[in-house]
Amino acid sequence: MAADRKIPAPGVNPETEPFWAAAREGRFLIKGCTNCGRNHWYPRAVCPHCLSEKTEWRPASGTGEIYSLSVMKRAPEPYVMAYVTLAEGPTMMTNIVDCDFDALKIGQKVKLVFKPTEGDGPPFPMFTPA
Ligand SMILES: [Zn+2]
């Protein structure tokens, strides 16, 4: 198992501020659209599916499955970049952590873990095998 990498504090802007505030409380939010009904990631004020501004924050389960992954073995501390498809629909770019990287498979079930970031930044959403 690789040592935990240092994670820079994420940039917080007005569009994503509620997400990070919830993350500090251990809650995982995504955005959904009340016009077309679809959820999206990353959080945006305007729905990327139908361009409606009728988006709202929705609690998400934090469960999903690996859509694709690559193990970054040449990094000083190897890590896994992955796309995870959430149970709620959207696919997000993330890291898979706290596991044997070589044993990971496409389609594997994963669950969200919030990882601390540097300074006093909000925790960052990552995933680990479920
Ligand atoms: Zn929409």
Side-chain angles (χ1 to χ4, degrees), residues 11-118:
V12 176
N13 63 41
E15 216 169 17
T16 59
E17 196 281 331
F19 174 84
W20 299 114
R24 285 188 189 275
E25 299 169 356
R27 294 183 299 123
F28 180 51
L29 299 181
I30 60 174
K31 273 210 136 175
C33 172
T34 61
N35 185 52
C36 71
R38 296 179 70 183
N39 299 318
H40 65 263
W41 181 266
Y42 57 92
R44 275 162 281 194
V46 174
C47 173
H49 304 295
C50 72
L51 306 181
S52 167
E53 292 179 6
K54 294 178 182 166
T55 58
E56 64 179 10
W57 293 99
R58 295 173 175 174
S61 63
T63 60
E65 64 178 53
I66 298 173
Y67 177 77
S68 70
L69 72 129
S70 49
V71 182
M72 315 304 269
K73 292 192 175 183
R74 292 186 180 185
E77 294 167 72
Y79 63 100
V80 176
M81 288 292 309
Y83 283 93
V84 165
T85 302
L86 301 173
E88 290 78 13
T91 296
M92 63 187 281
M93 188 170 70
T94 184
N95 297 137
I96 312 292
V97 295
D98 301 340
C99 61
D100 175 1
F101 295 163
D102 292 325
L104 293 170
K105 293 185 178 65
I106 304 291
Q108 188 169 347
K109 303 278 187 212
V110 290
K111 64 178 188 224
L112 180 124
V113 285
F114 278 116
K115 287 293 184 180
T117 59
E118 292 187 299

